[in-house]
Amino acid sequence: MQEQTYEIEKGNSFELIDIFDCGQCFRWNKEMDGSYTGVFGSNVINVSVKGNRVVFKGICEDDIKKVCIDYFDLNRDYEKIKEELSQIDDNMKTSIEYGKGIRILNQDLWETIISFIISANNNIPRIKGIIERISEKYGKKIVYNGKSYYTFPTVEELSKAGVQDLRKLGLGFRDVRVYETTRMILNKQVDLEELHQEKNFNTVRDTLLILPGVGPKVADCILLFSTLKRFEAFPIDVWVRRVMNELYIKNVDETKVNKRDIEKIAYEKFGKLAGLAQQYLFYWKRGA
DNA sequence: GCGCAGGGGGTCG
DNA sequence: CGACCCCCTGCG
């Protein structure tokens, strides 16, 4: 297949580091020249910033312009969103200045589900390693610029992996969770197409929670970071708990902060954009 | 250098 | 609430 390219104006809401390091994705790697290369769907894409231009190049089955506009959420007006959030308070203002280039990627739902099940009680280097090994073993190989890349396996492809196979790839106790979830999605006990159609937020969330390995935090990450695109989802992890307590709740013992209280404040302050607010706060606090 | 302890984007029972 | 698998990191 042939290499395609696509270019856009960078603007003020597109920064490679912010997009790829804000914790939403696991398959993008920095190159020597500062660009990033990643695999999504059956595409291998390299993204670089040159002055005020963003250059996408790589191998796509479809038109690269279409593929990138969709994946990088390029039709959404993040300037407007940031303006709206900035007006809430100074914390939002500061965090948005810090992570001004964040965009929420449109990641495949199935891949996002498995990726965040793997993320439970785990660290990022290891998570990335596991996902890479899964892709190498069960995905399809694509050669680009002389290097081999591997697509994330489809449901059918991953369903060929037994619990022991997964264990050998380093999943640890998450092996059974991934195995069971794969089966439930394969036999449509949980239908991913239907999930996309469903309007009611809590219905979608409750359905995700049926899947083994998907608890409240993972469910909210899936809702926020996948093509489900639910910006009202508010994943609460140790970092978010920390920052929400520090800024709004001010409990002396951070571990005693009630999740309900965090959710209540998040919803009252940020409303339908709570998930995005979370992302700016999380990225700011974790980086700063 | 290498060996070892500590901990990590939670979930489950 | 405690265990959970194990790679990665950092320190001695």
Side-chain angles (χ1 to χ4, degrees):
Chain A
M1 221 174 300
Q2 221 180 340
E3 181 180 71
Q4 303 181 52
T5 57
Y6 173 54
E7 259 189 71
I8 58 165
E9 285 255 343
K10 186 168 79 68
N12 195 36
S13 296
F14 193 111
E15 297 292 342
L16 296 176
I17 180 102
D18 296 345
I19 293 171
F20 298 128
D21 204 37
C22 72
Q24 61 178 326
C25 55
F26 301 104
R27 296 209 70 197
W28 287 88
N29 296 306
K30 197 171 189 171
E31 305 285 357
M32 302 290 272
D33 63 0
S35 69
Y36 283 77
T37 306
V39 184
F40 59 94
S42 54
N43 317 298
V44 180
I45 300 287
N46 173 267
V47 195
S48 55
V49 168
K50 301 194 160 99
N52 195 32
R53 307 288 288 174
V54 181
V55 181
F56 304 92
K57 58 180 180 181
I59 305 183
C60 304
E61 281 189 340
D62 207 341
D63 175 37
I64 191 171
K65 175 178 177 181
K66 185 171 168 237
V67 164
C68 288
I69 286 177
D70 174 56
Y71 184 76
F72 288 93
D73 209 26
L74 298 179
N75 281 338
R76 194 179 309 273
D77 189 352
Y78 279 82
E79 288 300 299
K80 197 173 150 195
I81 291 172
K82 290 191 293 183
E83 203 174 306
E84 191 178 333
L85 284 171
S86 290
Q87 282 166 11
I88 293 172
D89 61 21
D90 284 349
N91 296 323
M92 281 318 300
K93 203 172 218 172
T94 309
S95 66
I96 284 172
E97 276 165 22
Y98 181 83
K100 65 183 165 65
I102 291 177
R103 308 184 76 83
I104 305 298
L105 301 168
N106 282 303
Q107 302 187 83
D108 176 73
L109 175 56
W110 152 248
E111 176 175 344
T112 308
I113 290 172
I114 298 301
S115 297
F116 279 92
I117 289 175
I118 292 167
S119 79
N121 189 226
N122 212 341
N123 50 56
I124 292 170
R126 188 178 165 205
I127 299 165
K128 292 180 80 168
I130 291 172
I131 295 173
E132 216 48 48
R133 290 191 290 277
I134 286 182
S135 301
E136 269 178 44
K137 179 124 194 228
Y138 297 100
K140 297 188 226 4
K141 179 157 118 177
I142 302 175
V143 178
Y144 175 53
N145 279 345
K147 276 198 244 174
S148 295
Y149 297 88
Y150 298 86
T151 61
F152 188 84
T154 62
V155 185
E156 289 74 18
E157 285 167 343
L158 192 58
S159 70
K160 299 197 170 60
V163 177
Q164 293 309 317
D165 299 320
L166 294 170
R167 181 57 67 105
K168 271 190 281 181
L169 295 178
L171 275 82
F173 60 78
R174 302 162 200 82
D175 55 0
V176 179
R177 299 175 182 177
V178 167
Y179 177 80
E180 295 290 344
T181 289
T182 301
R183 292 187 61 100
M184 289 175 71
I185 292 173
L186 184 69
N187 67 26
K188 308 259 176 167
Q189 206 171 328
V190 169
D191 189 325
L192 301 189
E193 279 309 310
E194 278 178 23
L195 270 189
H196 278 110
Q197 309 305 323
E198 175 58 50
K199 290 239 158 60
N200 186 273
F201 178 81
N202 285 313
T203 307
V204 181
R205 194 170 187 274
D206 289 343
T207 307
L208 289 172
L209 288 171
I210 297 171
L211 298 168
V214 178
K217 152 66 165 68
V218 169
D220 286 330
C221 283
I222 296 165
L223 286 159
L224 182 57
F225 298 140
S226 75
T227 46
L228 292 175
K229 259 299 186 287
R230 298 291 190 146
F231 286 163
E232 63 267 53
F234 194 83
I236 299 173
D237 59 31
V238 296
W239 293 98
V240 173
R241 185 183 298 267
R242 192 169 300 162
V243 64
M244 289 297 283
N245 183 47
E246 200 178 308
L247 300 179
Y248 302 112
I249 300 171
K250 301 181 195 297
N251 193 320
V252 279
D253 186 356
E254 171 190 304
T255 59
K256 289 214 164 65
V257 178
N258 196 316
K259 253 185 83 167
R260 287 264 163 71
D261 294 340
I262 299 177
E263 278 165 354
K264 188 160 175 280
I265 291 171
Y267 186 73
E268 284 172 3
K269 286 193 96 64
F270 312 128
K272 294 276 184 198
L273 294 177
L276 282 171
Q278 183 266 11
Q279 221 21 221
Y280 290 111
L281 289 171
F282 169 78
Y283 182 58
W284 171 47
K285 220 53 198 176
R286 207 197 46 173

